[in-house]
Amino acid sequence: MKRAVVTVIGNDRPGIIAGVSKTLADNQANILDAAQTLMDKIFTMSMLIDITEIDAKFSNLQVELTKVGQKLGVSIQIQREEIFNSMSKI
């Protein structure tokens, strides 16, 4: 299984979770785990997703999530799991 980590941060508003989840589903990425919190009206979320079905089209998913983030007024980042793990060690 190939996995990636999605992080979302921005001002809270309706539709953030739905927008990200729909984009992932539309691109054949399966959500394995998700955690979100709200602190002082700032929304943060991290998701672990299965990208096995879309591995070759990963950059397309990055573009789609960026568009959704702009529409929702949040920052959305996606990194392959191995890159995310390496960065967290630094």
Side-chain angles (χ1 to χ4, degrees):
M1 176 184 313
K2 295 186 179 188
R3 303 186 308 184
V5 177
V6 176
T7 55
V8 181
I9 187 168
N11 291 323
D12 187 38
R13 62 183 287 186
I16 296 172
I17 296 172
V20 174
S21 298
K22 180 177 182 338
T23 302
L24 293 172
D26 289 348
N27 284 277
Q28 302 303 308
N30 186 36
I31 299 169
L32 302 172
D33 193 13
Q36 61 88 26
T37 189
L38 182 63
M39 187 181 313
D40 293 329
K41 298 183 182 179
I42 300 296
F43 175 87
T44 62
M45 178 171 65
S46 60
M47 294 177 146
L48 181 63
I49 63 170
D50 178 358
I51 59 168
T52 304
E53 296 295 318
I54 58 147
D55 190 42
K57 298 177 183 176
F58 184 77
S59 60
N60 294 346
L61 178 56
Q62 287 176 310
V63 170
E64 290 295 318
L65 287 172
T66 298
K67 288 178 185 176
V68 169
Q70 290 171 343
K71 180 179 173 185
L72 295 171
V74 297
S75 172
I76 303 175
Q77 301 296 317
I78 181 170
Q79 298 171 317
R80 293 178 185 275
E81 182 182 39
E82 60 273 13
I83 295 171
F84 183 83
N85 287 339
S86 296
M87 289 178 59
S88 67
K89 291 177 184 176
I90 295 176

